[in-house]
Amino acid sequence: MVRRHELTDAQWRKIEPLLPGNGRPGGQWADHRKVVNGVLFRARTGVPWPDLRERYGPWQTVYERHRRWSADGTWHNILEELQIEADAGDPDEAHARKISRQEWAVNIHSTSCRAHQHAAGAPRRAPADYPQKGAGRVRADGREALRRSRGGLTSKVHLLSDDRARPLHWLTSPGQRGDSPMFAPVLDGLRIRRRGAGRPRSRPDRVRGDKAYSSGDNRTYLRQRGIKATIAQPDDQRAHRKRRGRVGGRPPAFDKAQYRRRSAVERCVNKWKQFRAVATRYDKRDNIFNGTLAVTAVVIWLRDTVQEPSETP
């Protein structure tokens, strides 16, 4: 029986070839599917690792594999493969999309994840396999992307989503970090690799964001890269421009119809925070928290892309 937080047969067949195989002699791993379902159970419920259900095997095995795959980028590699396949799609459909020059738009947002008290107190000496490959982090003003903000000890996730409310790329930072300074770093990290030859897709046609990203530097950054901006302008910036008269220049272009589609990133956050280990951070290490974000992002993509076989009467 497949439980609601576990992978279905069709979803498992999708990611099974992407998981590492048994390598060195004498180091045979336990069943991958049971371990992956244990990781998803913990992500969905937020229980401490020692409280995992017995059906998933020893909790040390599940935790160690999640820690290792978070460090070596296995979870992020699976996510990349799902994005590559979705980007390629059907050849005829992709060709028609290229001819029609369909716009590729991304939506940017940030969300705060309250850190549990168990997330604090990581040793200053990092393990040998730290940092991890994949979605990065910002540690200039806080260890392990943890810092106190108005809401207490928090981490912040700065993310990009597509119009189908699926996460594309993200960065983690301490909770007090502002949104606007993270605008360019998040966009610079966007890389959607292609199937076969060709450079990764890294320059969307349009970026949508809320008032937090309305700054002259961000708009200049987009203009230099040839990216259209749909970013709301706060009232104080609008009033300041009017007070300056002609010197203030023309108001930036703003498409209300396009801005309504920014709700996709809000829906993406809602999907992500259905997992309690994302809504509340329990991981001490930033790379393990990024691994939790990655494996839950994989589930979001699987639910959107994998078609379950219909039952025959």
Side-chain angles (χ1 to χ4, degrees):
M1 181 182 66
V2 177
R3 295 168 176 83
R4 64 188 179 93
H5 53 270
E6 297 180 352
L7 297 177
T8 64
D9 292 339
Q11 292 171 345
W12 173 248
R13 287 193 297 269
K14 192 78 170 178
I15 71 167
E16 185 179 13
L18 307 176
L19 293 171
N22 284 317
R24 295 170 296 179
Q28 299 298 311
W29 282 350
D31 179 36
H32 276 334
R33 185 169 186 177
K34 181 169 66 174
V35 172
V36 171
N37 284 333
V39 173
L40 294 180
F41 175 81
R42 184 260 178 181
R44 185 70 173 83
T45 61
V47 298
W49 288 105
D51 295 340
L52 277 179
R53 302 288 176 84
E54 293 183 358
R55 62 176 175 267
Y56 302 119
W59 71 267
Q60 296 93 334
T61 300
V62 182
Y63 167 75
E64 179 60 26
R65 194 135 350 146
H66 176 57
R67 186 200 66 81
R68 181 179 300 181
W69 288 353
S70 298
D72 63 16
T74 297
W75 295 127
H76 291 92
N77 291 338
I78 296 173
L79 180 61
E80 284 183 0
E81 289 297 326
L82 295 176
Q83 292 174 347
I84 291 171
E85 184 173 346
D87 182 65
D90 182 73
D92 296 333
E93 181 182 349
H95 181 66
R97 184 171 64 245
K98 184 177 180 180
I99 293 176
S100 62
R101 297 182 180 179
Q102 183 176 349
E103 186 177 74
W104 179 35
V106 298
N107 309 283
I108 189 169
H109 191 47
S110 72
T111 181
S112 294
C113 300
R114 185 72 167 87
H116 193 269
Q117 58 184 355
H118 294 167
R124 290 185 177 273
R125 185 181 180 89
D129 54 4
Y130 188 90
Q132 90 287 6
K133 172 189 174 184
R137 64 209 177 283
V138 177
R139 299 187 61 186
D141 56 351
R143 293 180 57 246
E144 304 298 344
L146 278 174
R147 201 68 178 264
R148 293 196 178 275
S149 62
R150 291 183 179 181
L153 194 64
T154 55
S155 290
K156 187 174 281 190
V157 181
H158 309 263
L159 73 146
L160 293 171
S161 82
D162 61 8
D163 284 345
R164 297 177 66 171
R166 300 175 299 190
L168 296 174
H169 176 66
W170 65 87
L171 292 174
T172 55
S173 74
Q176 91 291 352
R177 176 64 65 92
D179 293 349
S180 186
M182 296 297 297
F183 184 81
V186 174
L187 282 171
D188 287 338
L190 179 62
R191 295 287 188 276
I192 306 298
R193 293 193 293 115
R194 301 177 187 269
R195 185 75 70 194
R199 293 180 298 177
R201 297 178 66 191
S202 60
R203 186 172 62 86
D205 299 311
R206 181 182 298 272
V207 174
R208 308 187 190 102
D210 59 15
K211 296 179 181 180
Y213 301 99
S214 178
S215 72
D217 291 341
N218 291 341
R219 295 184 187 274
T220 301
Y221 168 83
L222 294 178
R223 190 162 49 250
Q224 290 174 347
R225 295 190 61 188
I227 302 174
K228 299 177 184 177
T230 302
I231 302 176
Q233 191 177 32
D235 293 339
D236 59 339
Q237 291 183 9
R238 192 178 297 112
H240 178 66
R241 177 181 52 79
K242 290 181 178 179
R243 284 197 303 268
R244 299 184 66 189
R246 292 184 177 181
V247 181
R250 293 179 297 177
F254 182 72
D255 190 333
K256 290 185 178 180
Q258 283 286 343
Y259 189 72
R260 293 190 188 99
R261 303 183 65 180
R262 193 195 66 86
S263 63
V265 70
E266 307 276 1
R267 300 197 306 272
C268 178
V269 171
N270 291 338
K271 290 180 182 180
W272 231 345
K273 289 200 170 182
Q274 290 177 5
F275 297 90
R276 295 189 176 185
V278 173
T280 301
R281 172 176 169 172
Y282 299 99
D283 301 307
K284 291 181 182 295
R285 293 291 184 188
D286 182 37
N287 70 326
I288 300 180
F289 181 55
N290 266 283
T292 302
L293 293 171
V295 69
T296 51
V298 166
V299 174
I300 294 174
W301 275 80
L302 287 173
R303 289 174 179 173
D304 186 80
T305 58
V306 174
Q307 298 294 329
E308 299 295 333
S310 57
E311 298 181 0
T312 57

